[in-house]
Amino acid sequence: METHGTNGVSLPCLVLAHPNQEAAARMARAFRRLGWDVYSTRSGPEARRLILMLDADAAILHADLCEESGWLTCDKLTREQPLARVILVSDEGSQRGEEFAVFVGASAHVGSAEGLTPLIEELMGTTASAVG
């Protein structure tokens, strides 16, 4: 879903699902500065609902969401919408986390300890067509 900013330019839509409200607010501000229309939630089922309802361009899911894990949310979403662009964030930045992210259909996996920069790079790299 493309929405329009104050200057009339279409903005790509991002659903951000994170259990920590402070971290989610920091991330949402960063992505809004980069030109995204951001919708936040703490719940896996709500993230899926928003992604489908808004026809979001991308989603960032933390592994530890309310009601169901980000892993399960990603798996359900990518089964319903095989072309969905989902970046999973987890505390486990290991090879095992990478492999599990592939298994559940994520476009990418970022360890939460890596900070915001790799997440921004992943999102901007996987959604370059939505941005420009």
Side-chain angles (χ1 to χ4, degrees):
M1 172 183 185
E2 290 186 348
T3 57
H4 297 281
T6 56
N7 60 2
V9 175
S10 294
L11 301 176
C13 179
L14 171 67
V15 172
L16 171 63
H18 199 290
N20 180 302
Q21 289 179 328
E22 289 178 23
R26 278 192 312 274
M27 293 168 73
R29 280 191 303 274
F31 288 113
R32 285 186 181 110
R33 282 193 300 267
L34 291 168
W36 289 84
D37 190 15
V38 181
Y39 296 83
S40 297
T41 183
R42 297 174 64 198
S43 158
E46 178 67 6
R48 280 197 332 273
R49 187 187 74 74
L50 284 170
I51 292 161
L52 297 173
M53 181 183 77
L54 297 168
D55 191 26
D57 296 293
I60 296 173
L61 306 176
H62 193 280
D64 298 323
L65 296 177
C66 299
E67 298 181 52
E68 70 185 23
S69 74
W71 305 106
L72 181 57
T73 300
C74 180
D75 186 56
K76 288 179 179 181
L77 179 65
T78 56
R79 287 176 191 269
E80 294 169 0
Q81 299 287 320
L83 299 179
R85 295 179 179 169
V86 180
I87 299 172
L88 272 166
V89 178
S90 73
D91 294 333
E92 186 174 330
S94 68
Q95 182 65 29
R96 184 174 179 203
E98 293 284 332
E99 290 169 357
F100 199 56
V102 170
F103 178 74
V104 297
S107 303
H109 174 260
V110 175
S112 57
E114 296 177 52
L116 194 54
T117 300
L119 188 57
I120 291 170
E121 290 171 355
E122 284 292 343
L123 182 65
M124 299 307 281
T126 60
T127 59
S129 63
V131 175

